[in-house]
Amino acid sequence: MKQIIQNINRLKREKNAVILAHCYQNIEIDEAADFVGDSLYLSRMAAKTDADIIVFAGVFFMAQTAKILSPKKKVLLPRLEAGCFMADMINVRQLREFKSKHPGIPAVCYVNSTAEVKAECDICCTSSNVVKIVKSLNTDKVLFLPDTYLGKWAESQLNGVEVMTFPGFCPTHLKIRPEDISRARAKHPDALVLAHPECHMEVIKSADFTGSTSQIMDFAAKSNKKTFIIATEKGVVDRLQRDYPQKEFILVKDDIVCQHMKWHTLSDIYNALELEQYEIEVGGEIAGKALKSIKRMLEVS
Ligand code: 13P
Ligand code: SF4
């Protein structure tokens, strides 16, 4: 085993720490991680663990969510630069403005949002449970933020619910254009196209399956097809290829990489554990209100 992994494991034991890693992380992070998965799975693990320290190899909003769910634990983000472009697209002032234009309509926020924004929404969701969450509200109209594409995809799956979206988006997923899918299909005519719902709707329309990162990975694992074109971040392709070497996974185009997710290295994780940095804190009132919308999501899904 690599020396750095041994050192990380020693610190984990000494400090009763766990490492949660999103499946967009650099793949070597998995060697140190206790749990690897999508944002819903990781928030469940954060709520469940009895560790004293959680090191979150993911982006800022994920570490914030872990802290809100486990306020007594120390939650560390190895690199503070690891933000999320989409989460930063809406602040509380913009949210209030959006809500005031549509009074009385429940607001659903994608977990890719700040704690302050979650605190002013009725319920949270992730890409794997968005349809279930909107259905649980039993209403014919919802406000959805920040991702307009995830919101519109959910609307297409919900019979007769109007999903009114804030114009946020993920720059990484929007790099994928419908012509990239056609080009990849022409090169690999037997392949199935699996897409994340943050993609443009024209991309989703041309996909064979749409789902969260874990749902894409499960689909590929269970399918008896051999070749898959993956329309989401490169980390998913790297893990699928490692886990199913008998199948072929093609990243739809070269540069589908979330720079923020890729900040953390094994050395950063070691330093995070050794120096107990960088600690994520969420203010009391905000944390309490945000917890309500996160808990409501976990109860429904
Ligand atoms: P998942 O909910 O699939 O983990 O996606 C999180 C994310 O940030 C995708 O860009
Ligand atoms: Fe945010 Fe997009 Fe990166 Fe996901 S891929 S963390 S939505 S910037």
Side-chain angles (χ1 to χ4, degrees):
M1 200 192 296
K2 277 189 213 157
Q3 187 62 46
I4 189 147
I5 304 291
Q6 287 180 24
N7 294 342
I8 290 173
N9 286 342
R10 175 180 50 78
L11 284 175
K12 280 202 292 190
R13 278 192 306 273
E14 285 170 14
K15 300 196 179 202
N16 187 27
V18 285
I19 299 174
L20 308 190
H22 191 269
C23 39
Y24 290 169
Q25 289 295 297
N26 290 306
I27 196 159
E28 64 271 19
I29 302 290
D30 289 12
E31 295 172 49
D34 299 279
F35 304 100
V36 181
D38 71 358
S39 48
L40 180 61
Y41 173 74
L42 296 178
S43 52
R44 284 212 178 99
M45 294 305 112
K48 244 166 90 173
T49 180
D50 54 10
D52 296 316
I53 297 181
I54 297 174
V55 178
F56 216 116
V59 287
F60 191 82
F61 74 81
M62 295 180 177
Q64 248 192 353
T65 304
K67 180 67 186 176
I68 294 165
L69 283 163
S70 293
K72 296 212 165 76
K73 297 185 176 124
K74 197 174 251 190
V75 176
L76 306 172
L77 186 66
R79 292 286 290 260
L80 270 184
E81 307 92 316
C84 165
F85 291 114
M86 181 199 287
D88 293 339
M89 283 180 188
I90 187 164
N91 58 30
V92 171
R93 185 188 54 75
Q94 291 165 308
L95 170 62
R96 288 183 185 159
E97 209 175 290
F98 183 48
K99 289 196 340 179
S100 72
K101 283 191 190 144
H102 310 282
I105 301 178
V108 179
C109 69
Y110 191 20
V111 72
N112 298 31
S113 53
T114 62
E116 289 77 4
V117 163
K118 287 184 179 80
E120 298 208 12
C121 288
D122 296 278
I123 191 164
C124 254
C125 74
T126 74
S127 58
S128 61
N129 62 16
V130 55
V131 173
K132 211 174 190 180
I133 296 293
V134 175
K135 268 189 191 157
S136 77
L137 295 173
N138 269 323
T139 172
D140 57 356
K141 276 191 186 129
V142 291
L143 303 182
F144 190 86
L145 57 117
D147 188 7
T148 192
Y149 295 95
L150 180 64
K152 285 296 163 193
W153 174 75
E155 186 178 64
S156 74
Q157 306 298 300
L158 287 153
N159 223 345
V161 182
E162 187 183 350
V163 180
M164 301 156 90
T165 61
F166 184 84
F169 59 91
C170 166
T172 305
H173 285 85
L174 279 205
K175 276 189 197 163
I176 307 170
R177 311 303 307 170
E179 49 278 21
D180 298 319
I181 305 285
S182 327
R183 201 175 306 120
R185 274 202 197 276
K187 245 176 134 178
H188 307 277
D190 293 332
L192 288 182
V193 175
L194 316 184
H196 195 279
E198 286 176 15
C199 290
H200 194 283
M201 40 271 228
E202 291 308 314
V203 168
I204 290 176
K205 270 188 210 155
S206 60
D208 298 295
F209 174 79
T210 302
S212 75
T213 48
S214 292
Q215 288 166 341
I216 288 177
M217 290 168 94
D218 284 352
F219 182 96
K222 289 182 187 137
S223 168
N224 47 24
K225 285 273 187 175
K226 288 269 172 285
T227 314
F228 303 87
I229 294 161
I230 306 293
T232 188
E233 213 271 351
K234 182 177 176 292
V236 170
V237 173
D238 295 341
R239 284 168 179 79
L240 281 168
Q241 202 57 74
R242 175 197 63 195
D243 296 343
Y244 306 99
Q246 71 285 11
K247 298 186 177 185
E248 189 186 8
F249 301 95
I250 297 133
L251 185 61
V252 64
K253 74 196 265 195
D254 280 350
D255 57 345
I256 309 305
V257 173
C258 174
Q259 302 300 344
H260 281 313
M261 283 281 187
K262 301 299 197 219
W263 275 117
H264 311 296
T265 63
L266 285 171
S267 308
D268 295 324
I269 289 182
Y270 175 82
N271 289 338
L273 277 166
E274 170 75 6
L275 305 170
E276 300 191 14
Q277 66 186 19
Y278 294 95
E279 193 170 350
I280 302 299
E281 297 284 5
V282 186
E285 202 191 332
I286 300 281
K289 288 184 178 166
L291 180 62
K292 272 195 192 154
S293 53
I294 300 167
K295 264 198 162 163
R296 209 173 155 195
M297 164 184 86
L298 293 176
E299 280 157 17
V300 172
S301 49

